[in-house]
Amino acid sequence: MNTNKPNNQNRPVRSAGKSGGRRNNSANGRPKAKAAPTIAPARTVSRGAAIRAQRRTHDDAQRVINQYLDVPEVVAEERPRRANVIDDNPRLKIIGLGGMDGGGSKNMMLVEYMNDAVIIDAGNDLSVDLPGINYGICDVSYVESIRHKLRGYVITHGHLDHIGGLPHIVPKLPAPIYGSNFTIGRVEEIFQNFGLPMPEGFELQTVIMNEDTHERLKLGAFFVELVRVTHSIPGSTIVVLDTPVGRIINTGDFRLDPNPLDHERTDVERLKQLGDEGVLVLLSESTTTERMGRTPSESTIEQSFIDIMDQAPGRIFIGLFSTNMNRVQMIVNAAVHHNKKVAMDGRSMVSTLEMAVRHGFMKIPKGTFVPIASVPNMKDTDVVVVATGSQGEPSSALQRMASGDHRHIKLKEQDTVVLSSTPIPESGNDSLIGHMVDGLVRKGVHVFEHRHHELDGIGPLHVSGHASRDEYADMINYTRPKFFIPIYGAYRSKQRHIDIAVEQGIPRKNCANVDNGEVIEFTPDTMHIGGKVPVGTVLVDQTGAIVSSVVIKDRLMLAEEGLVAVVLTIDKKSGNLMTSPDIISRGFIYMRDNEELMNAFRTELKRAVQQRYKRVDLDRFKQELKEHVTHFLFEYTQRSPIVIPVVNVIGGSKNGSNGQSQPKKQDSKRLPKPEPTPEEIAAEQQRRFEEMRAKLLGQDARTD
């Protein structure tokens, strides 16, 4: 993370002894009594260099955050405006607020025309790798500035990278949410399971649309229609938005499966009809444009599960994505065929299954499912467990089984684990999956992964939910758009998609590879990139609360360099330290192994108090102390931890009573209290000081 940190091998040697030991200073090998610290050489690093090193640490942390918080200072339009001029050629604007980079995550598209606007998808990004962060959502600052135009949210399908931002965004910018039956079920599910209360007065408004009847609904100046498409989740649709300028088609995530398990094929005839009627712009997802050929049908993996159930000697555990209900149905069918019961584990999967059954998307024979708690009491050959965790997520059900932390399941030899997935592109999950598989293999478990299925001599265990190059070409040929914008993918993948479009006859000048925030403006005959709007990522923790980027920056710096707090207790009257400085180190060095450095550090702190405390005001002294400590620590360790100076000033009143006020005059009717002796005053001061010091040192500096 800190690319500017010096190499340890190039650090100056400060002590001839080992860390934490005392140097032998005498000629005959006997240490001198009460020798002063010997590590302090003449200063070779200027204070400016130390401060610049700490600034570099700040900048490194900021660069990490900027990968997620890219909010440029830009304006929505760059065209000059003239007073008293009416724009008689209104433009249609399309803006990717998310999903135009990073493999397609927190997908969110804004379509704006004059006084109306519609949002297509509003997802989250689960791949954010920052301490304490669960996911990211789109920054909607621009939408807030045009909130009066917002007419609705139209959702392509129910994956979290397309709906996960809704519970955060919709309460702030309320409007009806439109989608297919299954998609709206998923939307209502995530609102019900959201960890934080909704604002007072907020009421979720959802509208179910029928993708099979070509139903069209009016949203301001727009008409919206959903078209059925195959993907890895039921109810996936293509969004068709008719605008006064022309027709927009957003494909959402798709593949063109000729034989899906639920028999709900892509409505190719309607897509061709829309192409015949005329399409202004096609917005097509671009996740896997570098994959040749066609994506295999879901039906090709059904036999693989049947074969595994025929041959597995013990219990069978299958890990897959929690929303892949078609795959769950396939496993249920195979289990019923083999007279096995099915147990399911994973909160998100169970919740989605309940919703799917409630809406009639799943056909489960009565008595098929059993509670996960009953699995240990069942015969090994009688049960199949379906669980979340195919991506190696640390808190998932399968990962807890692999680590031995599961409440009900203890894996044993002869168990079989099937990972019916592949690592999500751009997520970096390969290492998580590998670590989990290592844990499973150590337990003697048979592990089958799709990516090694040929090595294991079994059939395929997974098919992608996304198209391959031939299918991307088919979508372009079906719709025959005038302009083409690749969306929902990494920049390189979108560029490959443009190459496919050019091969299908779309002029390259009519294609554009744009970033998040870039405004694409259309007339019936032209396309223009017209400036930018603010975009970025809002970070969310495990509770669903928004986390400030300042907090994340501190966490990164703590993780990289650690923290040092110095507690000084100073007599206000004399300006001297009342006790040796207290030093608290967290994530910086282990103080017991660096006794020599700590002694020198305390000596420097004493010198700093003597030289500067009475010459400047308290705030200035704290700032100078912070810089002095930063300088000292960088000189001896070449590291720049966060420095927190705590200065506690004791005493200073005229009567020398540790800051206590003068005693009030005694009531003449009461007996006067005897004046305390100097010994009693000293004892009371010492008692109060020890209490205050214990309180200060008892605080955990990591929470400051």
Side-chain angles (χ1 to χ4, degrees):
M1 297 168 66
N2 185 354
T3 57
N4 296 308
K5 188 187 295 183
N7 189 309
N8 291 342
Q9 296 177 352
N10 297 326
R11 294 181 181 175
V13 178
R14 302 296 183 187
S15 173
K18 293 182 179 179
S19 175
R22 297 187 180 276
R23 180 179 289 178
N24 188 340
N25 295 305
S26 61
N28 59 8
R30 290 175 295 179
K32 295 180 180 179
K34 298 183 180 179
T38 58
I39 67 164
R43 289 285 172 99
T44 58
V45 178
S46 68
R47 174 169 295 190
I51 300 301
R52 286 193 296 273
Q54 189 171 66
R55 189 175 297 121
R56 285 196 298 271
T57 303
H58 282 79
D59 293 343
D60 288 343
Q62 190 64 54
R63 275 193 290 271
V64 173
I65 297 173
N66 285 344
Q67 298 177 39
Y68 305 98
L69 305 179
D70 183 17
V71 186
E73 297 293 331
V74 295
V75 294
E77 289 191 45
E78 293 181 346
R79 296 195 313 275
R81 293 181 176 273
R82 293 177 294 165
N84 302 322
V85 174
I86 298 176
D87 187 354
D88 58 358
N89 189 18
R91 291 169 168 81
L92 175 71
K93 299 177 183 178
I94 299 177
I95 307 168
L97 300 178
M100 307 300 281
D101 60 354
S105 58
K106 61 181 178 63
N107 301 297
M108 189 173 185
M109 304 294 299
L110 175 69
V111 180
E112 181 183 355
Y113 177 79
M114 298 185 72
N115 292 319
D116 297 285
V118 170
I119 288 174
I120 302 175
D121 292 334
N124 63 14
D125 180 3
L126 290 168
S127 67
V128 176
D129 185 17
L130 292 173
I133 297 303
N134 193 16
Y135 56 83
I137 61 173
C138 288
D139 185 309
V140 291
S141 301
Y142 177 71
V143 184
E144 290 176 350
S145 70
I146 60 165
R147 62 187 308 152
H148 61 286
K149 298 183 180 183
L150 187 59
R151 303 294 173 242
Y153 300 82
V154 186
I155 309 301
T156 59
H157 65 281
H159 279 149
L160 287 176
D161 58 337
H162 294 257
I163 66 172
L166 291 173
H168 299 275
I169 297 170
V170 176
K172 290 196 305 181
L173 302 166
I177 303 173
Y178 299 81
S180 68
N181 188 10
F182 189 89
T183 299
I184 292 301
R186 281 280 292 154
V187 169
E188 293 173 346
E189 177 191 357
I190 66 168
F191 271 87
Q192 291 169 2
N193 296 331
F194 192 56
L196 299 179
M198 290 292 135
E200 185 176 356
F202 170 75
E203 184 176 347
L204 178 64
Q205 295 179 295
T206 58
V207 179
I208 296 175
M209 297 184 64
N210 191 326
E211 64 269 33
D212 295 324
T213 62
H214 308 150
E215 177 184 19
R216 298 174 78 241
L217 298 180
K218 192 174 190 303
L219 279 70
F222 309 117
F223 286 90
V224 63
E225 174 187 344
L226 301 181
V227 177
R228 186 176 67 249
V229 72
T230 49
H231 184 39
S232 59
I233 186 173
S236 297
T237 57
I238 292 169
V239 173
V240 180
L241 200 65
D242 288 330
T243 78
V245 175
R247 173 171 291 158
I248 299 171
I249 293 181
N250 182 322
T251 67
D253 292 348
F254 76 95
R255 67 181 177 214
L256 301 179
D257 191 338
N259 190 26
L261 189 70
D262 57 8
H263 307 295
E264 298 291 333
R265 296 182 180 86
T266 300
D267 195 345
V268 173
E269 293 305 315
R270 179 56 179 161
L271 292 176
K272 291 180 178 179
Q273 185 179 2
L274 293 170
D276 293 339
E277 295 171 0
V279 175
L280 176 67
V281 56
L282 173 65
L283 310 174
S284 184
E285 71 108 334
S286 311
T287 308
T288 47
T289 55
E290 296 172 312
R291 187 167 60 205
M292 299 298 294
R294 311 186 77 86
T295 302
S297 171
E298 180 85 8
S299 61
T300 61
I301 67 175
E302 189 168 13
Q303 187 61 43
S304 301
F305 290 104
I306 294 175
D307 292 343
I308 289 175
M309 291 185 191
D310 280 335
Q311 301 168 14
R315 298 176 300 181
I316 300 173
F317 298 82
I318 302 175
L320 43 76
F321 294 115
S322 62
T323 57
N324 198 336
M325 291 296 105
N326 286 340
R327 194 76 52 83
V328 172
Q329 182 71 69
M330 181 185 299
I331 294 167
V332 168
N333 294 345
V336 171
H337 176 75
H338 288 81
N339 296 317
K340 294 177 182 289
K341 300 296 184 181
V342 177
M344 186 167 286
D345 198 17
R347 184 182 59 83
S348 58
M349 181 178 291
V350 172
S351 177
T352 304
L353 176 67
E354 290 175 348
M355 185 274 295
V357 171
R358 189 167 59 249
H359 287 80
F361 289 97
M362 300 285 292
K363 298 177 181 179
I364 310 295
K366 187 176 181 179
T368 299
F369 280 99
V370 295
I372 190 69
S374 66
V375 171
N377 301 321
M378 298 178 65
K379 188 178 178 181
D380 288 355
T381 55
D382 289 347
V383 63
V384 174
V385 177
V386 181
T388 57
S390 61
Q391 297 296 300
E393 302 95 321
S395 60
S396 64
L398 200 57
Q399 180 64 273
R400 284 183 280 118
M401 294 177 194
S403 61
D405 297 329
H406 196 276
R407 182 179 178 183
H408 302 293
I409 303 296
K410 300 298 180 184
L411 292 174
K412 55 188 177 181
E413 291 187 11
Q414 302 305 310
D415 282 344
T416 296
V417 171
V418 179
L419 300 183
S420 183
S421 67
T422 55
I424 298 174
E426 309 287 332
S427 68
N429 286 344
D430 300 67
S431 60
L432 292 175
I433 297 172
H435 181 74
M436 181 179 68
V437 172
D438 281 346
L440 293 169
V441 174
R442 288 179 188 275
K443 296 179 183 297
V445 174
H446 302 286
V447 180
F448 295 111
E449 296 184 72
H450 169 70
R451 51 185 176 175
H452 304 312
H453 73 90
E454 293 179 347
L455 181 65
D456 293 326
I458 59 174
L461 299 170
H462 175 69
V463 294
S464 172
H466 298 271
S468 297
R469 288 182 66 88
D470 290 354
E471 294 156 280
Y472 287 120
D474 287 346
M475 182 63 70
I476 295 169
N477 286 323
Y478 294 155
T479 56
R480 302 192 300 283
K482 181 178 293 184
F483 300 102
F484 177 74
I485 307 295
I487 62 172
Y488 299 170
Y491 192 90
R492 64 183 183 278
S493 300
K494 294 188 295 174
Q495 194 62 42
R496 295 280 191 184
H497 208 167
I498 288 177
D499 295 339
I500 295 172
V502 172
E503 291 172 1
Q504 304 311 310
I506 298 180
R508 192 173 289 274
K509 66 179 182 179
N510 287 5
C511 305
N513 191 349
V514 298
D515 289 319
N516 290 322
E518 290 193 88
V519 181
I520 320 165
E521 298 179 335
F522 294 92
T523 68
D525 301 308
T526 65
M527 175 177 67
H528 173 69
I529 308 299
K532 278 189 147 186
V533 303
V535 291
T537 300
V538 176
L539 303 173
V540 182
D541 66 14
Q542 296 285 350
T543 68
I546 304 300
V547 182
S548 168
S549 61
V550 176
V551 174
I552 304 303
K553 183 176 178 180
D554 285 345
R555 291 177 184 175
L556 290 170
M557 293 178 62
L558 284 168
E560 185 70 16
E561 298 287 356
L563 174 146
V564 171
V566 294
V567 182
L568 304 181
T569 305
I570 302 175
D571 183 274
K572 184 176 181 179
K573 185 175 183 180
S574 67
N576 296 323
L577 285 168
M578 298 182 67
T579 185
S580 177
D582 294 303
I583 301 171
I584 302 170
S585 173
R586 294 290 186 271
F588 175 56
I589 59 173
Y590 186 50
M591 293 169 55
R592 292 184 180 180
D593 288 345
N594 291 271
E595 182 180 352
E596 195 172 3
L597 175 60
M598 290 298 103
N599 289 337
F601 190 10
R602 289 187 176 91
T603 300
E604 283 293 306
L605 290 172
K606 293 175 184 177
R607 187 171 66 85
V609 172
Q610 292 172 352
Q611 290 183 351
R612 299 299 297 165
Y613 173 69
K614 302 197 78 172
R615 299 183 183 182
V616 295
D617 61 56
L618 184 59
D619 289 339
R620 177 66 181 274
F621 174 71
K622 288 181 179 180
Q623 181 60 34
E624 290 188 1
L625 180 65
K626 182 177 180 180
E627 294 179 1
H628 187 82
V629 171
T630 298
H631 184 193
F632 177 87
L633 294 177
F634 182 76
E635 182 176 15
Y636 289 106
T637 68
Q638 296 295 291
R639 293 174 60 188
S640 298
I642 294 175
V643 175
I644 300 178
V646 179
V647 180
N648 179 37
V649 180
I650 301 293
S653 64
K654 292 182 179 179
N655 65 353
S657 58
N658 192 25
Q660 300 178 63
S661 59
Q662 294 284 351
K664 295 180 180 179
K665 294 182 179 180
Q666 300 292 331
D667 192 323
S668 59
K669 296 181 180 180
R670 299 179 181 176
L671 294 174
K673 292 184 178 180
E675 290 292 332
T677 65
E679 291 78 9
E680 291 174 337
I681 293 176
E684 176 65 14
Q685 287 182 344
Q686 183 65 24
R687 183 188 65 79
R688 294 181 60 192
F689 167 68
E690 292 295 342
E691 289 180 355
M692 186 174 300
R693 184 184 185 200
K695 183 178 179 181
L696 286 170
L697 295 180
Q699 294 177 351
D700 190 342
R702 290 170 292 187
T703 63
D704 289 349

